[in-house]
Amino acid sequence: MTAIVLGVGASHSTLMNTHWEKVVDTARAEAFRDSLDEVNRRLKELRPDVAIIVGSNHFRGFWLDLIPPFTLGVGEVVASGESGTPKGPQKTDPVFANDLATYLVEAGSEVAISARLQIDHGQSHAIQYLLTDLDIPVVPLVINVFAPPLPTLERCAQLGRRLAEAIEAHADGRTVAVIASGGLSHQLPWPSNWADPQDDDEKFMVDAWLNGRGEWERFDKRRREIILAAQPCLFEDFDRRFLADLEAGRLEDYLRLSTAELEEIAGNGGQELRTWLVMAAALGFAPGSTLCYSPMPEWLTGMGVGVIEPNTAGDTT
């Protein structure tokens, strides 16, 4: 039997790599970095055999010509390497990944598969900071969180529950860490409707999203400029409430929210919290622990880290 040894939720931002010197209150940034280090220490102690990284993709591996709701990397995994994140082929376990995909599809949770998946910082940030010095394969599970219509939060939770079943059904005795990368609240300067861009920047973004396949780097400089010019928009009250609900084992309550409602209370970047809900569902929505919350306007994001221990799964007392 295969077992989940730890569930992790962690925010990501490439500005952590490129704009550390612009942080005004370094204590907030250091607290977040230290919490990533703490997760890395825990994972080194647990020594999982594989890490499933549930994350997003910021139009470096997926494009408007084809975006499935859920995609599992079952073969080669190549990181794009933008902004100081890992670059190039990553260690993988195609047999295990394909077994997961087969179980999920047969259980009724259709996932697309990719035998050559390009990931970006939506997952490689976790590889860089959480899996440091851990020579283990990764299985990326990419959730569409940026190109509406998005999968409902309930569908994401269903995927997480069946992912846990798929892991348990794999009878080779290996251990697994389930890592969610993304969130917390933030607002990206992206068009709210890719079919109706409102200005030159939005038209450029849509062009990049539609025509970037195989040449995303051609668009990246101006993309970066647009993002860096954005005004921070964080929802700190929401972030703290979300993490408190993680601690109380109440993240299942968020499944009633629509895509529009989640964006209203957490920004369009808050749609990445689907990844946390997949992870929490895989851990039975058990109570967890918050390691850190650092509102980081310099990085445009509310940065948080939380964990769920599997030995509490199913115990809501």
Side-chain angles (χ1 to χ4, degrees):
M1 178 180 293
T2 303
I4 299 175
V5 295
L6 190 66
V8 181
S11 304
H12 59 240
S13 173
T14 59
L15 297 177
M16 179 175 173
N17 289 350
T18 62
H19 284 64
W20 186 276
E21 74 285 354
K22 295 186 180 297
V23 173
V24 175
D25 181 356
T26 56
R28 291 178 288 112
E30 290 168 354
F32 178 73
R33 181 193 59 199
D34 291 347
S35 68
L36 298 180
D37 290 343
E38 171 62 22
V39 172
N40 179 243
R41 284 193 293 272
R42 292 196 192 189
L43 290 173
K44 285 177 179 176
E45 292 173 358
L46 293 166
R47 300 300 304 180
D49 297 302
V50 62
I52 298 173
I53 304 180
V54 188
S56 56
N57 190 283
H58 307 75
F59 296 100
R60 293 184 179 88
F62 289 81
W63 314 97
L64 289 175
D65 59 359
L66 180 63
I67 300 185
F70 310 122
T71 305
L72 198 68
V74 299
E76 299 174 27
V77 174
V78 181
S80 56
E82 79 283 5
S83 303
T85 54
K87 182 179 179 64
Q90 304 299 304
K91 187 171 184 176
T92 61
D93 188 339
V95 173
F96 180 63
N98 273 284
D99 285 348
L100 292 181
T102 298
Y103 185 99
L104 290 171
V105 171
E106 292 181 350
S109 288
E110 293 80 6
V111 293
I113 61 166
S114 174
R116 182 176 292 133
L117 180 65
Q118 180 167 302
I119 60 173
D120 66 7
H121 70 274
Q123 291 172 322
S124 62
H125 195 275
I127 295 172
Q128 181 175 14
Y129 290 102
L130 302 182
L131 301 182
T132 304
D133 298 325
L134 278 164
D135 185 28
I136 61 174
V138 296
V139 177
L141 176 56
V142 182
I143 312 296
N144 171 27
V145 303
F146 292 128
L150 308 182
T152 66
L153 303 185
E154 175 58 49
R155 280 277 287 151
C156 292
Q158 180 190 71
L159 176 63
R161 297 184 191 104
R162 288 179 173 160
L163 180 64
E165 295 172 4
I167 292 169
E168 184 176 355
H170 201 285
D172 67 355
R174 76 185 67 194
T175 55
V176 178
V178 180
I179 299 172
S181 181
L184 299 168
S185 72
H186 57 295
Q187 182 71 26
L188 297 166
W190 288 5
S192 58
N193 181 358
W194 60 264
D196 185 27
Q198 297 298 301
D199 56 33
D200 287 344
D201 284 347
E202 291 195 356
K203 290 176 182 176
F204 172 82
M205 285 291 198
V206 171
D207 183 36
W209 295 355
L210 185 59
N211 299 306
R213 187 176 296 280
E215 52 178 351
W216 65 266
E217 291 169 296
R218 176 166 69 89
F219 298 93
D220 217 46
K221 182 176 183 294
R222 185 173 171 190
R223 268 185 46 152
R224 192 75 171 169
E225 292 169 350
I226 292 170
I227 290 171
L228 292 176
Q231 291 300 308
C233 181
L234 280 58
F235 299 78
E236 292 186 35
D237 289 345
F238 168 85
D239 291 341
R240 296 183 192 280
R241 184 169 65 252
F242 184 87
L243 292 172
D245 288 336
L246 177 141
E247 294 178 353
R250 293 195 297 261
L251 289 188
E252 198 166 7
D253 293 347
Y254 289 78
L255 304 185
R256 59 180 173 77
L257 295 175
S258 68
T259 295
E261 289 169 335
L262 181 57
E263 181 163 342
E264 183 177 352
I265 60 178
N268 58 10
Q271 304 293 356
E272 290 179 332
L273 289 170
R274 283 169 169 78
T275 67
W276 289 58
L277 296 175
V278 170
M279 178 276 293
L283 274 291
F285 286 109
S289 303
T290 298
L291 301 187
C292 175
Y293 174 59
S294 294
M296 294 296 300
E298 301 95 331
W299 300 345
L300 305 178
T301 305
M303 309 293 287
V305 179
V307 297
I308 300 177
E309 302 281 352
N311 59 359
T312 63
D315 180 5
T316 58
T317 60

